[in-house]
Amino acid sequence: MEDRKKLYFIYNPHAGREQIRTKLSAILQIFSSAGYELTVYPTKESQDAVRQIRDLPPGYDLVVCSGGDGTMDEVVEGMMQREEKLPIGYIPAGTVNDFARSLKIPRDMLRAARIAVGGRDFPCDMGTFNQEHFVYIAAFGIFTDVAYSTRQNMKNVLGHMAYLLEGVKRLTNIPSYHVRFSSEELAEEGDFIFGMVTNSRSVGGFKSIIGRKVQFDDGVFEVTFIRTPKNPVELQEILGAIILKEIDSQYMYSFRTSRLCVECDDQIPWTLDGEYGGECKSAVIENHQRALKIRVDS
């Protein structure tokens, strides 16, 4: 008898509104019907998924994860620490799910499960931030700490509104950083309230803020820096441009690059894929083209 394919399913039982609890049996049935022998693991704590995927024994054909972008990020980090890289299926269960939205992976968990076992492998770019891996965004400044400072129960109840309310509270006291950034394409120095390096069509649930022609396997990131406003009028113009999803060249730099260096005299707190990424004075951010296999709809 031919050996069955082996699937490792890892999920965060607390992601989103713990909605996977009502769907778990149906998801496992979809996997089993696709001919897979299953191993199922609910994560227990932060960084648990990194360890589980990194130390996964040989013999598996596919890893499927369910949770928010943070869970996906941990699975990717674990995968990149392995010799044998396996395809990853993703069943989004978080509050925003920028990565899934960008790759057109549906929010419907059963449809996403079918894609995980029946879709095609898409080799997409991924990034390193001072050697730590991220999938779709590295950012600092205004709004960027909202995702990891908003209490989970508040995220669950309010969804997008929790992010926006938490962000608006910061407008009276916006941190500004004197930053030098350099790439092959552009080098600048100045005071900035925000910077992001992305491989995504959606950031914070907002689509198209980085541009409409984003390719996930082209070897370059989309970069946006926003200058510190000098007065309330400038601030309103900047916020207006963000809401309208337009680049205002008077206050913003926007370009594409495969490698970016960012330096600051002070420690800058960064977010990587919506999770706290630590503080540092200098960062080297690099694109690794087509380094990750993600299951997408065929």
Side-chain angles (χ1 to χ4, degrees), residues 197-241:
V197 180
T198 65
N199 193 36
S200 174
R201 291 195 185 107
S202 167
V203 174
F206 291 101
K207 292 183 182 177
S208 308
I209 197 166
I210 1 322
R212 289 170 175 78
K213 295 181 180 174
V214 175
Q215 301 294 323
F216 303 109
D217 59 353
D218 59 3
V220 294
F221 289 126
E222 285 67 41
V223 181
T224 303
F225 281 85
I226 302 178
R227 284 194 174 278
T228 304
K230 295 183 175 65
N231 53 56
V233 174
E234 287 192 1
L235 174 59
Q236 288 306 314
E237 288 180 1
I238 289 169
L239 290 174

Side-chain angles (χ1 to χ4, degrees), residues 182-185 219 221 257-261 284-287:
S182 59
S183 71
E184 232 178 73
E185 294 77 8
F221 289 126
T257 190
S258 60
R259 188 177 191 273
L260 182 74
C261 298
V284 176
I285 303 166
E286 294 185 87
N287 184 296

Side-chain angles (χ1 to χ4, degrees), residues 111-180:
R111 281 180 59 208
R114 291 186 193 99
I115 289 169
V117 290
R120 63 184 173 88
D121 291 341
F122 173 67
C124 71
D125 299 348
M126 65 166 314
T128 48
F129 177 93
N130 290 347
Q131 307 311 311
E132 190 172 341
H133 296 92
F134 69 95
V135 178
Y136 73 94
I137 185 170
F140 71 86
I142 185 172
F143 297 149
T144 56
D145 67 339
V146 172
Y148 58 78
S149 67
T150 309
R151 293 195 316 278
Q152 183 64 45
N153 59 357
M154 186 180 174
K155 279 197 217 178
N156 291 347
V157 173
L158 294 173
H160 277 14
M161 283 305 295
Y163 288 85
L164 296 176
L165 291 171
E166 195 72 24
V168 168
K169 283 195 287 189
R170 284 166 170 61
L171 293 184
T172 53
N173 185 24
I174 300 172
S176 175
Y177 302 96
H178 190 80
V179 167
R180 297 171 294 281

Side-chain angles (χ1 to χ4, degrees), residues 63-135:
V63 167
V64 180
C65 72
S66 183
D69 288 333
T71 304
M72 179 65 175
D73 201 49
E74 287 192 19
V75 167
V76 167
E77 181 64 44
M79 190 64 72
M80 297 314 292
Q81 293 180 23
R82 291 174 59 83
E83 286 267 324
E84 182 196 14
K85 308 287 193 293
L86 301 172
I88 300 172
Y90 184 30
I91 302 174
T95 314
V96 177
N97 300 307
D98 283 315
F99 186 63
R101 186 190 299 253
S102 291
L103 290 177
K104 298 183 177 166
I105 296 170
R107 286 186 65 87
D108 181 301
M109 298 181 85
L110 301 188
R111 281 180 59 208
R114 291 186 193 99
I115 289 169
V117 290
R120 63 184 173 88
D121 291 341
F122 173 67
C124 71
D125 299 348
M126 65 166 314
T128 48
F129 177 93
N130 290 347
Q131 307 311 311
E132 190 172 341
H133 296 92
F134 69 95
V135 178

